[in-house]
Amino acid sequence: MSEHFTYKPEGVCSRLMEFDIQDGTIESFKVVGGCNGNLKGIGSLLKGMKVEDVIGRLEGTTCGPRPTSCPDQISRALKSYLASNQ
């Protein structure tokens, strides 16, 4: 059975990120706010990926002059998920 996880990102346009994760694999990803088309595309790419792999690929991505981005916030969300499930 998958686990539903929500995260409130900081420093970006998106307001809420929702994940369904089963056995360390992302089953679905949705975002409230942000760049709708880009985040739908990212959600499609994340489906079936291992949480650790997503963190490794997205961590540290910036958006213009901002020190973070939606992809970086996804990695932070997933780090938080892993920390809460240890």
Side-chain angles (χ1 to χ4, degrees), residues 60 65 85:
N85 285 293

Side-chain angles (χ1 to χ4, degrees), residues 2-6 16-21 28 30 81:
S2 67
E3 182 177 358
H4 189 75
F5 177 73
T6 60
L16 184 70
M17 297 180 172
E18 300 183 53
F19 302 83
D20 287 310
I21 300 171
S28 69
K30 296 179 187 173
Y81 169 80

Side-chain angles (χ1 to χ4, degrees), residues 2 19-29 40-55 57 78:
S2 67
F19 302 83
D20 287 310
I21 300 171
Q22 182 173 355
D23 299 324
T25 300
I26 297 172
E27 292 188 325
S28 69
F29 170 72
K40 282 181 183 175
I42 290 171
S44 293
L45 293 171
L46 296 184
K47 187 175 181 180
M49 287 187 70
K50 291 289 187 186
V51 168
E52 292 87 353
D53 293 339
V54 173
I55 292 168
R57 288 186 180 197
L78 294 172

Side-chain angles (χ1 to χ4, degrees), residues 5-8 19 51 55 73-86:
F5 177 73
T6 60
Y7 181 80
K8 185 169 173 28
F19 302 83
V51 168
I55 292 168
Q73 289 295 304
I74 292 167
S75 74
R76 293 180 191 196
L78 294 172
K79 284 181 174 182
S80 176
Y81 169 80
L82 289 177
S84 68
N85 285 293
Q86 290 185 356

Side-chain angles (χ1 to χ4, degrees), residues 7-19 29-36 38-39 42 58-77:
Y7 181 80
K8 185 169 173 28
E10 297 178 7
V12 294
C13 301
S14 56
R15 297 183 307 274
L16 184 70
M17 297 180 172
E18 300 183 53
F19 302 83
F29 170 72
K30 296 179 187 173
V31 178
V32 175
C35 301
N36 189 7
N38 288 336
L39 291 167
I42 290 171
L58 300 182
E59 185 176 30
T61 304
T62 59
C63 182
R66 297 177 185 176
T68 189
S69 66
C70 288
D72 184 57
Q73 289 295 304
I74 292 167
S75 74
R76 293 180 191 196

